[in-house]
Amino acid sequence: MSDQKPLEGLGTCPLPLRVHRTVQMAHGGGGRAMRDLIERVFRSAFSSGTSVPHDSAIVDVEAGRLAFTTDSFVVSPLFFPGGDIGKLAVFGTVNDLAMAGARPVCLSAGFILEEGFSLERLQQVVDSMREAADEARVSIVTGDTKVVDHGKGDGLYINTAGIGVVPAGLDVSPSRVRPGDAVLVSGDIGRHGIAVLSVREGLAFETSIQSDCAPLAGLVARLIDAGVEIHCLRDLTRGGLASALGEIALDGGVGIEVEERAIPVEAPVVAACEILGLDPHYVANEGRLVAFVAPADGQHALEVIRSHHRAAGAARIGQVVSAHRGVVHLRLSLGGERVLDLLSGEQMPRIC
Amino acid sequence: MSDQKPLEGLGTCPLPLRVHRTVQMAHGGGGRAMRDLIERVFRSAFSSGTSVPHDSAIVDVEAGRLAFTTDSFVVSPLFFPGGDIGKLAVFGTVNDLAMAGARPVCLSAGFILEEGFSLERLQQVVDSMREAADEARVSIVTGDTKVVDHGKGDGLYINTAGIGVVPAGLDVSPSRVRPGDAVLVSGDIGRHGIAVLSVREGLAFETSIQSDCAPLAGLVARLIDAGVEIHCLRDLTRGGLASALGEIALDGGVGIEVEERAIPVEAPVVAACEILGLDPHYVANEGRLVAFVAPADGQHALEVIRSHHRAAGAARIGQVVSAHRGVVHLRLSLGGERVLDLLSGEQMPRIC
């Protein structure tokens, strides 16, 4: 689509709609305009093209335990180095499923469009979602579109929900974390938050910092297939590494000790954090996880993680302890230690 | 909660948060404020209280076909006669599952909160969702909360996704509709749209018109249990009866004939539509369905539907024909007929 011609595929649409380049209230009204938008933008990207539109998608599953999760995405701006809201919306939900040890199967996608939002931008996001879904090997099988008045949204919000299948006998949960467990991180931290902030604040860093946003289900499958005794997994999103560890310490009722020098942070992220006055341990990620594995499996798990093309920079960063339950201690590179507490509020809003 | 005291249950929350009566950006930041909001408002309402918070909920299911659907809710205003956005969010998704013949099992709930939204109003909506979930016999098992800046939302948007189990051998879909099928509607139409519009436009009608919003899964289960040969079901939402029929005519490749005099519309709705210049056939509903059933089962199906306490006003309104495929004809009470076309755009925005 170029800026100069009508949205492709609207050829049979009533004339007044052909000339629209932006979202109209009519696109959410349940009539022909909405049907056209769904058919031509969403269904052409997401569906196999064989099914009849219906209120629900039908999914065949084996008996067993399903993982089910949801996330809304309100990131600002919608496009940033290394990703966009569409990629986030697919990978974020895929990753939440993977954190329960589940193999992601299918996603739903709910769009809240602001009147006046560019249909070309919408098409870009939808295309990005399709690519992301292909990469993560999930199908987007059902969806919904709503339109809100200009000034009652911010271009585009997306909700995705997802279903995954949990392998028999697998139980991955904070309640399984035990003192002695090795704590691994799957790569360097802080890139997503800095990438988004750099666009939002108009900052230009010497090196362009790309978001780490990526699917984690393949990595998790590799750990499961390798027979690693996984106790808990958590993807690092809002609140970063520190918040993920803090939550698991609280929910698992354990203490956690991590080494500052062992935590991988790229030099440009460190530099950007210094300029912005941010602690990288709290900066958001969208393609990193922490894994809590049985003590004897720590080294093996690290090798398995590092064998994944997106996780060569993985590191063992600490261990679970029976002391200071509910609290995370960070041993500082320069000696001494400090508590990595949950932040009271937000470090940076609308990061995902 | 009264207006004069802090949100109940925030007793252990850091002091600055105890005094907040409205949503803060911090409530979406992934830190302690968000955790408190989730624990004290959402989890206390929705969860059994036994599970550890985790990225995904785990749901045990039998093998077979699942129905999976999603809907976002952006209704304005949030509260209206007979319901609120919370009831809509639960019943809307439950109803989409039921329209595939599925027994609803569980829902997700994603909240997009606008900075400054009243926490008391949020609690009211959450309480309403819990009541609605109890009535519809589903559990809300997983959720997400995002906060957007003041002026980038409209108080509260909710997305729900849902999983249901489709009974073995059941296939309910527009592609199964056949000429001769009886077309039934489960009650009077147009009340939801008029109820919302009456508040939005500050209209006072002689009789207060209540939204029809209600769960439809129990009614569908009754039809299935009674052995009715159901071909297709569709709940009447945006675009009303006319749009639902129009879509099925198009997607099923059939013609549909309905009788104006057979379509139940309450007198106050007729009167309100006349004042507002609306055609009640296009006015939104949130607790009504159309059923397409095998010709021989028409009368039996109608009796089964009428036996449900919410559907005493059900009626047979027409039949499927092999002529005028893709088009719905309305036989007028005063003689003659007209086409019930899909509206080009919207009759009324943000009705659900």
Side-chain angles (χ1 to χ4, degrees):
Chain A
M1 276 190 328
S2 81
D3 260 319
Q4 302 310 315
K5 60 176 185 170
L7 187 67
E8 277 178 48
L10 286 179
T12 61
C13 186
L15 196 60
L17 296 169
R18 291 197 58 173
V19 300
H20 286 142
R21 325 269 326 180
T22 59
V23 172
Q24 310 292 311
M25 291 307 290
H27 286 125
R32 201 173 287 277
M34 186 175 88
R35 191 177 162 95
D36 279 325
L37 183 74
I38 292 169
E39 282 297 320
R40 294 169 197 283
V41 178
F42 299 122
R43 276 179 55 85
S44 72
F46 297 145
S47 81
S48 62
T50 54
S51 64
V52 170
H54 200 22
D55 284 325
S56 295
I58 302 296
V59 186
D60 288 304
V61 294
E62 58 246 73
R65 290 178 311 148
L66 294 184
F68 181 38
T69 191
T70 190
D71 246 329
S72 298
F73 297 85
V74 300
V75 65
S76 170
L78 298 175
F79 296 82
F80 47 81
D84 58 63
I85 190 173
K87 273 177 90 166
L88 284 190
V90 171
F91 293 154
T93 290
V94 161
N95 292 352
D96 280 348
L97 294 172
M99 295 308 105
R103 178 178 57 79
V105 175
C106 60
L107 302 184
S108 65
F111 296 83
I112 298 178
L113 306 170
E114 185 190 9
E115 184 187 19
F117 183 62
S118 156
L119 285 171
E120 186 177 346
R121 292 298 244 179
L122 178 62
Q123 185 71 58
Q124 287 171 1
V125 169
V126 166
D127 290 344
S128 178
M129 290 181 79
R130 190 195 52 231
E131 283 170 29
D134 288 347
E135 183 179 352
R137 299 185 188 180
V138 289
S139 303
I140 298 172
V141 295
T142 186
D144 176 61
T145 309
K146 292 291 187 306
V147 178
V148 296
D149 331 54
H150 181 67
K152 300 292 186 189
D154 198 7
L156 171 62
Y157 300 139
I158 302 177
N159 176 284
T160 48
I163 297 176
V165 175
V166 184
L170 190 70
D171 177 18
V172 173
S173 146
S175 59
R176 291 202 60 217
V177 173
R178 296 283 176 273
D181 282 359
V183 181
L184 313 173
V185 65
S186 69
D188 67 300
I189 63 166
R191 280 203 275 122
H192 175 69
I194 299 298
V196 172
L197 222 56
S198 69
V199 187
R200 195 191 296 170
E201 309 296 339
L203 304 171
F205 300 112
E206 251 177 63
T207 317
S208 164
I209 296 167
Q210 303 273 313
S211 168
D212 58 287
C213 86
L216 291 166
L219 180 56
V220 171
R222 201 171 284 206
L223 280 171
I224 294 170
D225 291 346
V228 170
E229 187 183 322
I230 307 165
H231 289 168
C232 185
L233 300 167
R234 182 66 55 98
D235 57 333
L236 311 180
T237 57
R238 283 180 283 185
L241 174 66
S243 303
L245 295 176
E247 285 177 2
I248 291 171
L250 279 172
D251 297 333
V254 295
I256 298 175
E257 286 181 359
V258 289
E259 300 274 346
E260 185 179 27
R261 80 177 70 221
I263 298 170
V265 196
E266 297 284 317
V269 171
V270 173
C273 282
E274 282 174 2
I275 292 166
L276 296 164
L278 298 174
D279 178 344
H281 301 110
Y282 290 91
V283 175
N285 312 266
E286 286 291 339
R288 298 292 182 228
L289 61 79
V290 282
F292 291 73
V293 304
D297 282 5
Q299 188 55 36
H300 179 213
L302 184 59
E303 286 161 12
V304 171
I305 294 174
R306 282 184 174 161
S307 73
H308 191 276
H309 69 286
R310 286 192 189 275
R316 176 173 180 152
I317 59 171
Q319 58 282 324
V320 177
V321 295
S322 52
H324 53 81
R325 286 169 187 260
V327 177
V328 181
H329 283 188
L330 177 70
R331 285 208 196 137
L332 303 171
S333 306
L334 300 173
E337 65 178 32
R338 69 180 179 94
V339 169
L340 277 186
D341 202 2
L342 286 182
L343 293 183
S344 169
E346 97 276 35
Q347 187 194 53
M348 36 183 125
R350 298 186 55 189
I351 208 72
C352 60
Chain B
M1 276 188 329
S2 83
D3 259 320
Q4 302 309 315
K5 61 176 185 171
L7 187 65
E8 277 177 49
L10 284 179
T12 61
C13 186
L15 195 61
L17 297 170
R18 292 195 58 174
V19 300
H20 286 142
R21 325 266 329 177
T22 59
V23 172
Q24 310 292 311
M25 290 307 289
H27 286 125
R32 201 174 286 278
M34 187 174 89
R35 193 177 161 93
D36 278 325
L37 183 73
I38 292 170
E39 283 295 322
R40 294 169 196 284
V41 178
F42 298 122
R43 277 178 55 84
S44 72
F46 297 146
S47 79
S48 60
T50 54
S51 64
V52 170
H54 199 24
D55 284 326
S56 295
I58 302 297
V59 186
D60 289 304
V61 293
E62 57 246 72
R65 290 177 310 147
L66 294 183
F68 181 38
T69 190
T70 190
D71 246 329
S72 299
F73 296 84
V74 300
V75 65
S76 172
L78 299 175
F79 297 82
F80 47 82
D84 57 63
I85 189 173
K87 273 177 90 165
L88 284 189
V90 170
F91 293 153
T93 290
V94 161
N95 291 352
D96 280 348
L97 294 173
M99 294 310 104
R103 178 178 57 80
V105 175
C106 60
L107 303 184
S108 65
F111 295 84
I112 298 179
L113 306 171
E114 185 189 9
E115 184 186 19
F117 182 62
S118 157
L119 285 171
E120 187 177 345
R121 291 299 242 179
L122 178 61
Q123 185 72 59
Q124 287 172 0
V125 170
V126 166
D127 290 344
S128 177
M129 291 180 78
R130 189 195 54 229
E131 280 170 30
D134 287 347
E135 182 177 353
R137 299 185 189 181
V138 289
S139 303
I140 298 172
V141 296
T142 187
D144 176 61
T145 310
K146 293 291 189 307
V147 178
V148 296
D149 331 54
H150 181 68
K152 300 292 185 188
D154 199 7
L156 170 63
Y157 299 140
I158 302 176
N159 175 284
T160 48
I163 298 177
V165 175
V166 184
L170 190 70
D171 177 17
V172 173
S173 147
S175 59
R176 292 201 60 217
V177 172
R178 296 282 176 274
D181 281 359
V183 181
L184 314 174
V185 65
S186 68
D188 66 301
I189 62 166
R191 280 203 273 123
H192 175 70
I194 298 299
V196 172
L197 220 58
S198 69
V199 187
R200 195 192 295 170
E201 310 296 340
L203 304 172
F205 299 113
E206 250 176 67
T207 316
S208 163
I209 296 167
Q210 303 273 313
S211 167
D212 58 288
C213 85
L216 291 167
L219 179 57
V220 172
R222 199 172 285 206
L223 280 171
I224 294 170
D225 291 346
V228 170
E229 187 181 323
I230 307 165
H231 290 168
C232 185
L233 300 166
R234 183 66 52 99
D235 57 333
L236 311 181
T237 57
R238 282 180 283 185
L241 173 68
S243 302
L245 295 176
E247 285 177 1
I248 291 170
L250 280 171
D251 297 333
V254 295
I256 299 175
E257 286 181 359
V258 287
E259 300 275 345
E260 185 179 27
R261 78 176 71 222
I263 298 170
V265 196
E266 297 283 316
V269 170
V270 173
C273 283
E274 281 174 4
I275 292 167
L276 295 163
L278 298 174
D279 179 344
H281 302 110
Y282 289 92
V283 176
N285 312 267
E286 287 290 339
R288 297 291 180 232
L289 60 78
V290 281
F292 291 73
V293 304
D297 283 5
Q299 188 55 35
H300 179 211
L302 184 59
E303 285 160 14
V304 171
I305 294 174
R306 283 183 174 163
S307 74
H308 191 276
H309 69 285
R310 286 192 188 276
R316 176 171 180 152
I317 60 171
Q319 57 282 324
V320 177
V321 296
S322 52
H324 54 81
R325 287 170 187 259
V327 177
V328 182
H329 283 188
L330 176 71
R331 287 209 196 137
L332 302 171
S333 305
L334 299 173
E337 65 179 31
R338 70 180 179 95
V339 169
L340 276 186
D341 204 1
L342 286 182
L343 292 183
S344 169
E346 96 277 36
Q347 187 195 52
M348 37 183 125
R350 297 186 55 190
I351 206 74
C352 61

